[in-house]
Structures are given as structure tokens and as C-alpha cells.
Amino acid sequence: LRKGTESTGRMLRQIIALCAAASAAAFAPGAGVLPKAGVRAATATSPRMAVFPGSFSDSVPFLKQPTNLDGTLVGDVGFDPLGFSNFLDLRWAREAEIKHGRVAMLAATGMIVQDLYVFPGFKDEFGSAAMLKLHEKAVLQGSMQQLLVWLGLLEIISGVPAIIQTLNGSDRQPGDFGFDPLNCSQNPDTLARRQLTELKNGRLAMIATGGMLHVYFFTGKGPIEFLGLA
């Protein structure tokens, strides 16, 4: 039984390594990172991850190029196999993608950190709980309800008015809340590259978060513990 468990663990590690390599290759920028001037005036400061020759998508070569994905948005690689861009407002969809990517980056960081460090006072409240067990304890204790209330209030105060402003045709870009401590917006090229970097890292974090959760489902171990590094 022990040999079978070790074999399963070794196989899962190999699968994770292969998936990580594939994910990294998928998110690596191609030759057409920056847009050509002839695409649209709106793309002058928006880098593109691919060029779209012909009528087929570069990201899914056997599918037709989505009509509404023309490279205007940062990080647009023509990936829309289910056709969401045909009936969703792309500004709303991009706002949702950026928001989920930011949350996933925080979540992925938290999943890794909890295997490496325990914050003072944490054990007194939650013991050695991690991942989903920690979530369950936080729900029972009431911590998650507090997060739900305060973050929901923050979303109502800032998030909802911001997206309404965007959908009503303002100059606000999806995901822009005026947070720019490094003054990236002063240089359009720097801003465009930072936007692309955030988007790619957010997409990767969403995949990584799902992967770490499923590893926990199967093994009951956090990511660092599973890899034998903790």
C-alpha cells in the first residue's frame, strides 16, 4: 500500500511539472507582443500576444477567429472557444477576468505561504489547519463572514460604480482603480507592459489555484508539503 501511495505521489509530481511547463509555454509572449499601428487607434498602447492572420484563431487553430476579439484588448490571443465574446460586453468580461486574476494571485500566495510560515497567534485560533480545513474553521469561527461583509461592502462602494462608469462609455479602463504607486501610467509603453504582465500572472494564478486545490483534494497536503519541500 505504501509503495502504491509513493507511486501515486510521484506520478502526481510529474504531472504537475509537465503542466507547469505547458502553462509557462502557453503564457510566453510570441513575436507580436506589441500591436501594429494599423489595427486601431485604441491599440496604440495595448500590447498583443499574437498576430491574427487569416480567419482562424492562433490560440485554437482549428476554430474560427472570434469576431469581437480583434487585438484591441491587452492580452487578446483570440481564445474564446465557447463564444462568450459574441454576447458579453468585453469591458465587463475583462473587468471580471482582472478581478478574478488578482484574487487568485492572493490566494495562490496564501496557499504557498501557509506551508512555510505560521503567523503569530494563528495557532491559538486555528491550530494546524490549512487549505480547506482552515476555511471550514474560519466559517465556524465567523472570520469568513466578516470577510464577506466587509469585502462585499467595498465592492458595493467602489467596484459596482466603477464598472457602471466603464459600461457608460467613460475613459476608465477595466480594472483601473487609480492605484499606481510606481507611476506606471506616466509612460504609456510601461503601463501597457505592466497591464499585460498582470493579466498573464492572473491567468496563471487561476490555473495554479485550481491545481493546488485539487492536489489537496487527492492528498490532503498543501503545495509545498506535497512537493516535499516543507
Side-chain angles (χ1 to χ4, degrees), residues 72-96:
T72 300
L73 291 174
V74 173
D76 177 8
V77 293
F79 181 80
D80 185 21
L82 299 180
F84 288 123
S85 62
N86 294 327
F87 58 88
L88 288 179
D89 190 305
L90 291 182
R91 295 168 298 177
W92 182 88
R94 174 50 56 89
E95 183 90 22

Side-chain angles (χ1 to χ4, degrees), residues 141-161:
Q141 188 212 49
S143 302
M144 293 302 295
Q145 288 86 330
Q146 293 183 47
L147 284 173
L148 178 63
V149 170
W150 290 111
L151 292 177
L153 183 61
L154 181 63
E155 179 70 13
I156 292 172
I157 294 174
S158 61
V160 173

Side-chain angles (χ1 to χ4, degrees), residues 8 18 35 46 188-189:
T8 301
L18 290 172
S46 300
D189 292 334

